[in-house]
Amino acid sequence: MTFTIQNVLLAIDDGYTTSDVQVVDGKIVAVAPNLDVVGDIIDGTNKLLLPGFVNAHTHSSEMWQRGVISILPLELWLAELYDFAPIDTEKVYLSALGTAVETLLSGGTSVVDHLVLIPGQELETIASAVRAYQEVGIRAFIAPLLQDESLSAGLPAGDSSQSHEPFFRSTTATLAIIEEAIKQFHRPDEGVYILVAPTGIQLCTDALFAGCIELSDRYNLCRHSHLLETKAQAKLAQEKYGCSAVTHLKQIGYLGDRTSLAHCVWLNDADITILADTKSTVVHNPLSNLRLGSGIAPILKYRQAGVNVTFGCDGASSNDSQDLLEAIKIGAILHNVTDFDYRHWITPRQAVEMASLGGVKALNLADQLGSITVGKEADLVLYNLTNLSLMPRTDPIGLLVLGRPTNVVDSAWVKGKQIVANGQVTTINVDELRQELFNLSEWTTQRQSPTRTQLEHHYRHIMGLSS
């Protein structure tokens, strides 16, 4: 955990500079040319060093269904997802390994896993993901996905009367599970953090939100949720609260500088002002928003209002990838069609800062991570600028963000520990992982989802679609 990266390209305000970076005991201790060597020597010639990105919203276990769920809106897509969700902790472990590897090899050193829990094996599910992330060595923010209402409650009633089956587990029992998870697994010194993470207003009661707020305050934990991903959720919020979901979350005290909110597609100007005032973070998931037809989040408005914005891949069956560089590219340039004033558009350098410093701000760690600064922990990624997909030589960050870089991560460190070297993850056997993922899956195309069939007529009715 002590090394010197020599002659590496660093981004500075007016361009780039060639420098050395020295890391001792996992922290950056010096950034300057021609440093005296300490520890191992890393050759940074023709390489770019950036702080690690944050994959700030995903669901690792969705890996088992990527590429197979029909082209559907979120509410019906979820129904099919739930009908075929893995109920095996070994699969949870393997898909967390895969999520970590794909995140690392696309520039991410941290992952926020909104982890779907196996009913009756909730703590075992979390333990499986923790084991995977610790083996790989990525910094893991595990946000066990919580709900206390059944899936059908996530749809607005419209002009019909709806009754819903009670959720199989009580709110009190759910909160007890999360408190036990905090006690067992929240180990920031070991790179594992537990977040309180009600899935969103669509499937959570105020009692669940209140319990999560209390746990968050008592244990100093960050908070994570979906927010207004779809038009249906915006309709539901008006039915439930008689006001916007953002106003309601502010009223109950859920928003704040330790709160990150995934999607945020269907917000109005007043909602945006609330997010800015409360210092809440928006996690932009452009690929899943497009895949599920959810809409285009008003990211440029968020940025102009002073809201912190970062990027997530979302789950690997609503994207269907964990390529963070792809999410950053689409998340940056998608909005060039939403605002004619090009001075508001996101530049490659701004995108990189959103993905790194913006990501750790959401996790209350901006004083420890997110930039190549003396005193911060060494979560770093080294990119090979001689790779064909980053040629010819122009602007390195422009090539990284606007191009289609493949196999460009040369090395990566988390807390100063090298876990990628020469483009390969060094902590686990990725070939064995690939073989296990292959062996435990099968080629498949069309599946019949009974829950989707059950919900589809009502969904089409409330959304004003023909029968």
Side-chain angles (χ1 to χ4, degrees), residues 136-185:
V136 175
I138 199 168
R139 198 179 290 261
F141 298 83
I142 296 178
L145 188 146
L146 307 180
Q147 66 186 82
D148 60 352
E149 295 188 291
S150 59
L151 192 62
S152 62
L155 290 174
D159 57 7
S160 61
S161 59
Q162 296 286 305
S163 60
H164 310 291
E165 291 290 323
F167 195 61
F168 75 92
R169 186 177 59 229
S170 72
T171 305
T172 301
T174 295
L175 292 168
I177 288 168
I178 294 310
E179 183 164 17
E180 183 58 31
I182 295 164
K183 292 175 180 177
Q184 286 191 31
F185 304 114

Side-chain angles (χ1 to χ4, degrees), residues 88-343:
D88 178 343
T89 54
E90 183 64 13
K91 284 191 169 183
V92 170
Y93 164 74
L94 291 170
S95 53
L97 286 179
T99 296
V101 168
E102 289 190 69
T103 295
L104 278 168
L105 295 180
S106 57
T109 52
S110 294
V111 61
V112 178
D113 189 353
H114 208 177
L115 184 67
V116 179
L117 303 177
I118 299 172
Q121 300 182 68
E122 292 86 357
L123 293 172
E124 293 87 346
T125 305
I126 298 168
S128 297
V130 168
R131 177 164 68 100
Y133 290 133
Q134 287 192 308
E135 285 181 12
V136 175
I138 199 168
R139 198 179 290 261
F141 298 83
I142 296 178
L145 188 146
L146 307 180
Q147 66 186 82
D148 60 352
E149 295 188 291
S150 59
L151 192 62
S152 62
L155 290 174
D159 57 7
S160 61
S161 59
Q162 296 286 305
S163 60
H164 310 291
E165 291 290 323
F167 195 61
F168 75 92
R169 186 177 59 229
S170 72
T171 305
T172 301
T174 295
L175 292 168
I177 288 168
I178 294 310
E179 183 164 17
E180 183 58 31
I182 295 164
K183 292 175 180 177
Q184 286 191 31
F185 304 114
H186 184 61
R187 299 285 185 271
D189 290 346
E190 299 173 20
V192 177
Y193 309 73
I194 298 295
L195 281 63
V196 296
T199 185
I201 63 102
Q202 66 277 13
L203 294 174
C204 299
T205 64
D206 280 358
L208 182 57
F209 275 108
C212 286
I213 292 167
E214 192 279 328
L215 288 171
S216 167
D217 290 344
R218 179 149 47 102
Y219 291 101
N220 192 31
L221 305 177
C222 291
R223 307 168 185 175
H224 187 67
S225 296
H226 301 96
L227 178 62
L228 296 181
E229 184 174 353
T230 66
K231 188 175 183 180
Q233 290 176 8
K235 287 174 175 279
L236 178 66
Q238 287 294 330
E239 283 187 1
K240 287 181 77 167
Y241 310 126
C243 63
S244 82
V246 177
T247 296
H248 186 74
L249 290 180
K250 180 188 177 185
Q251 289 171 345
I252 65 176
Y254 189 74
L255 304 180
D257 62 2
R258 288 181 290 138
T259 303
S260 58
L261 303 159
H263 301 289
C264 297
V265 176
W266 292 88
L267 274 64
N268 58 36
D269 290 346
D271 294 333
I272 294 171
T273 298
I274 290 171
L275 293 189
D277 290 346
T278 57
K279 297 183 169 57
S280 302
T281 288
V282 170
V283 183
H284 186 26
N285 301 274
L287 289 154
S288 62
N289 292 344
L290 292 170
R291 156 80 149 98
L292 302 174
S294 301
I296 298 177
I299 296 304
L300 300 184
K301 283 188 174 184
Y302 293 134
R303 286 175 50 78
Q304 291 169 59
V307 177
N308 182 47
V309 180
T310 190
F311 299 103
C313 288
D314 207 356
S317 61
S318 65
N319 175 331
D320 296 30
S321 159
Q322 293 296 292
D323 187 332
L324 194 47
L325 286 168
E326 181 184 43
I328 293 167
K329 174 179 178 174
I330 300 300
I333 66 174
L334 174 64
H335 308 282
N336 298 359
V337 301
T338 67
D339 187 335
F340 188 67
D341 190 342
Y342 52 88
R343 291 184 177 180

Side-chain angles (χ1 to χ4, degrees), residues 37-54:
V37 172
V38 297
D40 296 335
I41 297 174
I42 308 293
D43 184 5
T45 306
N46 296 322
K47 297 183 177 75
L48 172 70
L49 188 68
L50 292 176
F53 302 144
V54 180

Side-chain angles (χ1 to χ4, degrees), residues 430-448:
V430 176
D431 288 337
E432 285 185 4
L433 170 63
R434 288 203 336 254
Q435 192 63 54
E436 288 187 84
L437 290 170
F438 186 90
N439 291 344
L440 289 172
S441 56
E442 59 185 19
W443 304 120
T444 185
T445 52
Q446 296 300 311
R447 305 180 300 186
Q448 295 302 314

